[in-house]
Amino acid sequence: MDNIEEKEARLTAGSKFNFKDFMWLCLSKWYLFIFSVVICLGLGYLQIMKQPRVYLATASIMIKDKGASASPDVASAFAEMNSFDTYSNLNNEMVAMTSPIVTKEVARRLGLDVDYEVSDRLHKRPLFGNDLPFRVEFLDLGREGTAHLTAVWTNDDKVELGPFSEDLAEHLADADNNDETITVDLNKAEGDTIETPLGRLILTKNPTFSNAKVSPLEIDVRRIGESEGNNIASSNLRTYVNDDYSTIVSIDKTDFSPWRAKAILSTLIDVYRENWITDRNEVASATYDFINDRLAVIEDELGSVDSNVSGLRAQQIANYGDVANNASRATAAEDALMLQRNRLALAKQVRDRLVQHATDYTILPGTASLENGAIDAKVSAYNELTTYRNSLVANSSADNPVVQDLDMALADRRLEIVSTLDSYINGLNAEIAATQGTRNQSSSRLVMGQTQAPQIQSVERQQKVKESLYLYLLQKREENQLSQAFAAYNSKIITPPVFEGPISPIPRKIFMQWGIIGLLVPALILFLIDLLNSKVRGRKDLDRLTIPFVGEIPLAQRPKSALKKLLERFNRKRVEKLSVVKVKKGSGNVVNEAFRVIRTNLEFLVGTDGSDPRIIMLTSVNPGSGKTFISLNLAVVLALKGKKVALVDLDLRKTALSMSCNKSGKGVTNYLAGNASLDEIVVTNVLENESVDLYPAGPIPPNPAELLYSDRLDAMMSLLREKYDYVIIDSPPVELVADAKIINRLVDLTLFIIRAGVLDRQMLPEIQTFYENKRYKNMAVILNGTPDPAYSRLRLSNRFGYGYGYGYGYGYGYGYGYGYGRKKGDHDKTDDNQ
């Protein structure tokens, strides 16, 4: 069993994929590729027509960075003032540009809650900017209300509104009037309130409209709500930097309307810069309020001190000129003490504000006056983080995980700042204590009797401290006001918004893709057909057979079209009269040469007894292999060499050989039944050749096998052997009936016809078994219907590739249906080719 399986695997293994053969197959089916490419290119054109155009708008701005030198402006003139710091973190600003709080404002300013579309070929095209003749404002639909209406605009600025529809029925003023139309003259009613089934509307002309070529213009007006409008503004919006060494941020936006994409970018930059200035001014505003509060308190205290000084001097309580020397030293100490107490008071005020407003996330006042860089940096960082946290809360809520993380970070920052302020206050207290010691030491040297001088000095000191603090705060307030008045943007526009396009669809790319698909589809179909084909495809499939190979007959003609086959089905008589003899005297085509090769090879074959094979039987495994065609042409090619040839039709069930020669009446069946002699049934000069005689089959008998067992058949073969050089017998297939085996007892040579494209490769092991078991005498093989490479390559429309299972080739093309009960003369049509 294993040997049998190995032999079957060896014999039935199809030839491996041959790229060259596959390419010739594809070339032979060139019309399929042209048809497929044309269809696919049509689909590509349809895709281009249906797909709306996509445009790209771009812009670029430069974010000022601490590492780069600032351009000369007002801020650089006041660089020493901390409030003029206009530098930003690049990554934070890129996120802020496209944050929801910015895109919502962009959508509101541009009115993106209303969408306008017109039909453009096979798709909808949005209108915006220069393409839009008017705008519609819905007054009664709320923020998220949706609605739809049709507006027809004409060149005279008249608009016909209607019909109306809305998703939310409760907003309809009158549900029965949805199909009504309202005509509005924009020249007269522009900006007026119009009552419609959708509520009140306001129509305004677009002053930038410049496309009046199409009139009337039917526009679909859709109120999509603020959320959808924000989606239009934020979708397909991207910010990026080109490299790691610059602070230039590129912004691009893709949209179906080039004007809308450009307007969104322009408004986005404006809103971002305005928001940035607003955030920066919040710190200045908080500082301004703090300074004003302190000035009011100090102003009251300074007024009280001035009154005390004036009273003491009026009463001339003391003359402290005598103690001037000691007083001067005490004054110097007092001056230092004044500055220290001033800083201490400011530090405590900042600390108290930080502790008292720990949970309301307000901006801390500037601390530059403390002249402590660490505290100033921490307060600035705290204010920046607080501003970012408040913007997130405005966009989402305090329960946002990111906001909660920021709250924890701010709490840590507050503790850090408080700790730093405590250390700073402790240091000031120590300095004040030391300064007070110096002052007390100088004061102790004064005359103990002059008790009024220290009193005057104390009051004057308080007056100086208050005046100094008052003037200092006035200066800081002015600086703060200047920072607000001359606040510089943190960005500079490098490239204003411009649009390109369209960037999609790209016709060349789409046509290329569909063209490739058009080439791949038929190639894939042909590949699958070739892959699934299990038929014998050529000589390579027979290389592993050990049966003698006589030759192969190429297919050198066009296969019949389906229309031709249909016409022949209704014109059987014409088909039967067509000649199937391809061998001609003096012809040198491939078919003639193939039969000459077979004739030569037959001369080298010997019978089992060592004699030349004179009685040759042609058979096959399955019908339609071309036995009749080969019998006729083999007889002619032998006759051309001067041989006397007899054609015997022993296919008593189909009589294909007789029908091909258009011979009916008496035949072999009459002879075998004893009703006629050989001379009565022979047909001479067959195929217009004096050397070829035909013994037709005769009427179809009910018992072909019994007749073939007759001794009269043995006698007939003996007579023919003596009379002719060659006797060619056309017999039935071996697998369907037993006739071939019965006839084989009388022959010298058995030619098995293997038809390319008809015989399944699975049958090759069985044919090999016939040969090894010597079931048929002196077996040899002829391969029929193989492709002629020269013909296929020169005529690419011909079928190439070993038949590929389509059933074209040499032979009569009908199926066997052996059995009793068939009417006399019943037969299928013969093939006029092979």
Side-chain angles (χ1 to χ4, degrees):
M1 183 63 69
D2 293 340
N3 293 333
I4 294 177
E5 293 179 354
E6 290 178 1
K7 182 171 67 175
E8 289 183 355
R10 175 174 57 83
L11 294 176
T12 61
S15 58
K16 296 182 180 179
F17 176 78
N18 190 308
F19 181 76
K20 182 178 179 180
D21 291 345
F22 180 71
M23 289 302 300
W24 282 116
L25 170 64
C26 292
L27 289 175
S28 68
K29 306 297 181 184
W30 58 269
Y31 50 89
L32 294 180
F33 288 86
I34 293 179
F35 178 77
S36 176
V37 169
V38 170
I39 294 298
C40 289
L41 290 179
L43 294 175
Y45 179 77
L46 182 62
Q47 177 185 348
I48 294 173
M49 293 298 101
K50 292 183 64 176
Q51 187 173 344
R53 305 294 184 269
V54 178
Y55 298 86
L56 173 68
T58 61
S60 59
I61 63 175
M62 181 177 67
I63 303 297
K64 296 179 181 179
D65 184 65
K66 289 184 178 181
S69 58
S71 58
D73 54 12
V74 177
S76 63
F78 293 91
E80 72 279 0
M81 300 182 184
N82 187 60
S83 299
F84 285 94
D85 184 6
T86 59
Y87 302 108
S88 307
N89 181 278
L90 183 61
N91 293 329
N92 290 344
E93 299 309 315
M94 290 175 61
V95 174
M97 285 180 197
T98 57
S99 63
I101 193 171
V102 174
T103 56
K104 283 182 179 180
E105 179 63 19
V106 171
R108 186 193 66 79
R109 293 188 184 184
L110 296 178
L112 298 183
D113 59 332
V114 181
D115 192 27
Y116 308 86
E117 291 182 342
V118 294
S119 296
D120 186 6
R121 296 180 181 178
L122 300 179
H123 62 270
K124 292 285 188 179
R125 176 173 61 88
L127 296 182
F128 192 89
N130 295 356
D131 294 334
L132 183 63
F134 62 89
R135 294 189 179 91
V136 181
E137 183 180 356
F138 295 81
L139 301 179
D140 299 327
L141 294 183
R143 299 178 60 184
E144 300 297 336
T146 58
H148 175 269
L149 63 90
T150 301
V152 180
W153 174 86
T154 57
N155 280 334
D156 54 359
D157 283 332
K158 289 184 179 180
V159 181
E160 182 179 296
L161 303 177
F164 304 87
S165 64
E166 186 172 2
D167 295 338
L168 303 178
E170 60 268 22
H171 290 298
L172 294 177
D174 188 353
D176 297 332
N177 295 331
N178 286 351
D179 293 334
E180 72 176 59
T181 58
I182 300 173
T183 301
V184 179
D185 189 347
L186 294 180
N187 295 319
K188 300 178 181 179
E190 181 184 8
D192 293 348
T193 301
I194 304 170
E195 295 292 339
T196 69
L198 299 176
R200 295 173 300 160
L201 303 181
I202 296 179
L203 271 67
T204 56
K205 293 173 62 175
N206 182 11
T208 63
F209 177 66
S210 59
N211 185 13
K213 296 180 181 179
V214 180
S215 178
L217 186 63
E218 184 175 333
I219 305 174
D220 287 334
V221 181
R222 298 185 304 123
R223 213 289 186 153
I224 58 179
E226 293 185 2
S227 297
E228 287 298 323
N230 182 48
N231 290 337
I232 293 177
S234 59
S235 61
N236 301 319
L237 185 63
R238 188 169 63 113
T239 59
Y240 59 94
V241 291
N242 295 320
D243 54 67
D244 296 333
Y245 304 100
S246 69
T247 60
I248 296 179
V249 178
S250 298
I251 315 171
D252 59 42
K253 164 73 175 177
T254 56
D255 200 292
F256 297 123
S257 170
W259 304 108
R260 185 166 64 185
K262 180 180 177 182
I264 288 174
L265 286 189
S266 180
T267 310
L268 179 79
I269 294 174
D270 292 341
V271 172
Y272 160 72
R273 302 180 80 189
E274 291 172 7
N275 288 350
W276 191 90
I277 289 294
T278 300
D279 293 340
R280 297 296 297 176
N281 286 339
E282 284 185 5
V283 177
S285 179
T287 304
Y288 179 80
D289 293 339
F290 172 75
I291 292 175
N292 279 341
D293 293 340
R294 290 303 304 155
L295 283 174
V297 174
I298 295 174
E299 189 174 358
D300 292 340
E301 294 177 354
L302 185 58
S304 176
V305 172
D306 288 342
S307 299
N308 293 335
V309 172
S310 298
L312 290 176
R313 287 180 177 176
Q315 297 174 10
Q316 295 182 354
I317 295 176
N319 181 11
Y320 47 88
D322 296 338
V323 293
N325 294 332
N326 290 325
S328 62
R329 289 192 296 270
T331 300
E334 201 61 49
D335 290 338
L337 188 61
M338 173 192 65
L339 182 58
Q340 294 166 355
R341 287 174 176 172
N342 181 27
R343 294 176 180 173
L344 179 62
L346 290 177
K348 288 182 178 180
Q349 289 291 335
V350 174
R351 185 184 186 282
D352 292 340
R353 186 181 182 89
L354 187 64
V355 173
Q356 292 173 3
H357 298 276
T359 58
D360 58 2
Y361 302 100
T362 58
I363 302 300
L364 295 179
T367 58
S369 59
L370 295 180
E371 298 183 0
N372 186 296
I375 296 176
D376 190 28
K378 292 178 180 180
V379 170
S380 297
Y382 177 87
N383 287 339
E384 183 177 355
L385 192 60
T386 300
T387 301
Y388 181 61
R389 182 261 181 199
N390 291 338
S391 65
L392 288 179
V393 172
N395 184 50
S396 57
S397 68
D399 296 330
N400 190 320
V402 178
V403 174
Q404 292 178 356
D405 291 342
L406 289 175
D407 290 343
M408 296 177 63
L410 287 172
D412 294 337
R413 294 284 180 91
R414 284 194 296 271
L415 293 176
E416 185 179 357
I417 294 173
V418 170
S419 176
T420 305
L421 285 173
D422 289 340
S423 299
Y424 181 74
I425 291 172
N426 292 335
L428 285 177
N429 287 331
E431 291 178 5
I432 290 172
T435 305
Q436 286 177 341
T438 302
R439 184 199 63 186
N440 294 336
Q441 184 179 5
S442 299
S443 299
S444 63
R445 297 176 182 177
L446 297 175
V447 180
M448 297 300 297
Q450 297 176 340
T451 57
Q452 295 177 339
Q455 184 179 2
I456 295 175
Q457 289 179 345
S458 177
V459 174
E460 288 180 345
R461 292 192 198 99
Q462 293 179 15
Q463 183 185 34
K464 292 179 180 180
V465 170
K466 300 301 181 182
E467 288 178 352
S468 176
L469 181 58
Y470 188 78
L471 294 175
Y472 178 80
L473 291 177
L474 285 176
Q475 179 185 356
K476 290 302 177 182
R477 185 174 67 176
E478 291 303 316
E479 292 177 1
N480 189 71
Q481 289 298 100
L482 286 173
S483 68
Q484 285 186 282
F486 297 100
Y489 288 112
N490 71 323
S491 59
K492 179 181 179 181
I493 298 178
I494 302 299
T495 304
V498 294
F499 62 81
E500 304 174 2
I503 62 170
S504 175
I506 303 176
R508 180 179 60 182
K509 183 177 180 181
I510 292 177
F511 281 133
M512 183 179 296
Q513 292 174 347
W514 279 103
I516 293 174
I517 293 175
L519 294 175
L520 290 179
V521 168
L524 180 60
I525 293 175
L526 293 176
F527 176 76
L528 292 177
I529 291 176
D530 182 52
L531 185 65
L532 298 176
N533 177 29
S534 62
K535 305 297 182 181
V536 173
R537 295 175 292 185
R539 175 67 182 274
K540 292 181 180 179
D541 292 336
L542 307 183
D543 286 345
R544 297 185 182 276
L545 291 176
T546 60
I547 308 174
F549 185 80
V550 177
E552 62 178 307
I553 302 174
L555 176 65
Q557 60 187 32
R558 290 179 182 270
K560 296 178 185 177
S561 65
L563 179 60
K564 184 176 180 181
K565 288 184 178 181
L566 182 63
L567 293 176
E568 290 177 354
R569 183 176 296 274
F570 294 99
N571 191 13
R572 181 176 301 172
K573 183 177 180 181
R574 173 180 175 274
V575 175
E576 292 173 354
K577 290 184 179 181
L578 290 175
S579 174
V580 293
V581 177
K582 302 297 181 181
V583 176
K584 305 294 182 181
K585 184 176 181 181
S587 176
N589 61 34
V590 292
V591 176
N592 281 260
E593 291 301 325
F595 276 101
R596 291 189 181 99
V597 171
I598 293 175
R599 180 184 65 189
T600 302
N601 291 337
L602 287 177
E603 294 175 351
F604 288 96
L605 293 177
V606 295
T608 55
D609 58 354
S611 61
D612 293 336
R614 301 182 60 188
I615 300 179
I616 303 172
M617 182 184 80
L618 278 71
T619 186
S620 64
V621 174
N622 49 2
S625 298
K627 299 184 300 296
T628 300
F629 172 82
I630 296 176
S631 299
L632 290 169
N633 287 274
L634 183 59
V636 172
V637 77
L638 291 172
L640 291 177
K641 199 176 180 182
K643 303 294 183 181
K644 186 67 174 177
V645 183
L647 283 171
V648 182
D649 188 358
L650 291 185
D651 188 354
L652 303 182
R653 303 172 190 266
K654 289 294 182 180
T655 68
L657 183 60
S658 303
M659 288 190 299
S660 297
C661 297
N662 197 24
K663 302 298 180 181
S664 60
K666 291 184 179 182
V668 175
T669 56
N670 300 100
Y671 171 79
L672 295 179
N675 298 326
S677 65
L678 290 179
D679 293 336
E680 293 176 337
I681 65 173
V682 65
V683 179
T684 59
N685 297 326
V686 177
L687 305 176
E688 301 179 357
N689 195 311
E690 296 180 354
S691 299
V692 180
D693 294 339
L694 171 67
Y695 292 85
I700 298 177
N703 55 346
E706 286 75 4
L707 284 178
L708 294 175
Y709 270 118
S710 172
D711 293 337
R712 291 182 64 83
L713 181 60
D714 295 51
M716 177 181 177
M717 291 296 109
S718 297
L719 293 174
L720 295 180
R721 185 187 295 272
E722 297 296 330
K723 185 177 180 180
Y724 297 95
D725 295 317
Y726 289 97
V727 178
I728 299 176
I729 301 174
D730 184 10
S731 67
V734 300
E735 286 296 293
L736 300 180
V737 292
D739 298 8
K741 181 61 179 174
I742 298 172
I743 299 171
N744 194 250
R745 75 184 192 277
L746 304 173
V747 305
D748 300 326
L749 175 66
T750 303
L751 293 180
F752 255 84
I753 311 302
I754 295 178
R755 169 79 171 277
V758 174
L759 180 67
D760 197 295
R761 289 196 298 271
Q762 300 294 330
M763 295 299 297
L764 293 178
E766 187 172 352
I767 297 175
Q768 178 68 22
T769 302
F770 291 163
Y771 176 74
E772 293 175 352
N773 295 337
K774 298 182 179 181
R775 184 173 177 179
Y776 297 94
K777 290 183 179 179
N778 201 16
M779 280 182 59
V781 171
I782 293 179
L783 180 62
N784 183 27
T786 59
D788 176 18
Y791 183 87
S792 298
R793 296 177 186 181
L794 294 176
R795 300 167 177 84
L796 296 179
S797 61
N798 190 19
R799 191 172 302 275
F800 181 83
Y802 310 107
Y804 287 89
Y806 288 97
Y808 293 100
Y810 299 98
Y812 50 86
Y814 63 89
Y816 273 77
Y818 287 93
Y820 296 101
R822 290 178 56 86
K823 294 181 181 180
K824 182 178 180 181
D826 285 351
H827 58 79
D828 293 319
K829 67 180 181 67
T830 59
D831 195 332
D832 63 295
N833 295 327
Q834 295 178 39

